[in-house]
Amino acid sequence: MKAMILAAGRGERMRPLTDTTPKPLLMAGNEPLIGWHLRRLKAAGITEIVINHAWLGAKIEAALGNGAAYGVNIAYSPEGANGLETAGGIATALDLLGDAPFLVINGDVLTDINFQAACKQATQLGDNLAHIWLVANPEHNPQGDFGLLPNGRVQSDTQHAQSGTFSGVGVYQPALFANTPKHTAAKLALLLRQAMNDNRVSGEFHDGLWLDVGTPERLAQANELAKMGKLG
C-alpha cells in the first residue's frame, strides 16, 4: 500500500515560525514533524510515499530528498504557493498513488495509530470509499466532526452516535476522488460527508497518542512528548 502525507498547509497559526520553515519541518524533539510519520510508515512496511507541498515546498524536498535517509521512496506532488485543500491535493496526486486504496496522513499531527492495521483495512474496504480514525474531542474541537455508530459506520452528524474528531488519518479508495478535478481546490470533509450519507464510510476510535500540532503551544507539547520518549 502507498501512503500520502499532506504537507501543503501554510501554517498560519504557527507564524512567525512558518514564515521561513514549512510546518512539516518544524522540530518535535530531534525529528521534524513529518519525520515521525516517515519512521512509523517504514516500521509498518509502507515505503512508497507521496508528499504534496505548497508553501516553501522546495525546502521540504531539499530536507527529505528521495526518502533514502528514512528507508522509503518519496514522490512529490507540488501544488504551487497557495495549495489545493485536502481533497484537491489528493485528487491531483492520484497518478502517483495508483489504483489501489491508499493511506493518507495529515502532516501536522503526531499519532501512534497502527499503520499496519491500516494496511489490513485497505484490503477490507469492500464497497466502502473510506475508513477513518476518530479521536476523543480535544478542547479546540469540543463538538467533534463525525459520529461513529456501534456497527462501525461513520455518519455526518453526531446524533445517536459517538461524537469524535477526525484524526487526519484515513484509508481511501481512489473512487472517492473520481469527480474532483485535478489542480482545483476542494475540501475532503465534503466528500466524506457525501460518502457517509451513502453509508460508504467505516471508522474506529483511536485512544492512543494523537496531537494536532497546530499552534506554538501544541508544538511545545510535542517537544515534551519527544523528550519523554513517547513519539517513537
Side-chain angles (χ1 to χ4, degrees), residues 179-202:
N179 296 319
T180 302
K182 297 179 186 298
H183 311 294
T184 302
K187 296 182 179 297
L188 177 60
L190 178 60
L191 295 184
L192 285 176
R193 291 184 188 280
Q194 291 172 341
M196 289 171 191
N197 292 338
D198 292 333
N199 198 35
R200 299 185 71 184
V201 179
S202 60

Side-chain angles (χ1 to χ4, degrees), residues 25-188:
L25 294 185
L26 294 177
M27 300 298 289
N30 61 356
E31 191 76 73
L33 293 174
I34 200 169
W36 293 109
H37 287 323
L38 294 172
R39 292 193 182 283
R40 289 187 183 278
L41 288 167
K42 174 62 167 61
I46 303 172
T47 58
E48 297 298 321
I49 297 166
V50 176
I51 297 175
N52 67 337
H53 61 67
W55 173 251
L56 299 177
K59 289 192 174 184
I60 294 176
E61 293 200 25
L64 303 179
N66 63 5
Y70 290 91
V72 300
N73 300 310
I74 297 176
Y76 294 97
S77 180
E79 298 179 4
N82 296 321
L84 299 173
E85 302 280 0
T86 301
I90 296 171
T92 299
L94 283 180
D95 289 343
L96 297 172
L97 292 165
D99 298 327
F102 49 84
L103 174 67
V104 176
I105 309 162
N106 282 5
D108 58 358
V109 301
L110 290 174
T111 184
D112 60 359
I113 288 173
N114 189 329
F115 294 152
Q116 285 182 315
C119 292
K120 184 176 180 180
Q121 286 293 343
T123 68
Q124 298 176 344
L125 283 176
D127 291 333
N128 289 338
L129 291 172
H131 181 91
I132 64 175
W133 281 260
L134 303 175
V135 296
N137 297 328
E139 290 184 2
H140 61 272
N141 191 39
Q143 301 304 313
D145 298 315
F146 306 121
L148 183 67
L149 296 169
N151 65 358
R153 312 307 296 179
V154 183
Q155 61 182 32
S156 59
D157 61 67
T158 57
Q159 291 184 348
H160 313 298
Q162 185 179 3
S163 172
T165 289
F166 178 41
S167 68
V169 180
V171 172
Y172 305 113
Q173 297 272 20
L176 179 64
F177 307 93
N179 296 319
T180 302
K182 297 179 186 298
H183 311 294
T184 302
K187 296 182 179 297
L188 177 60

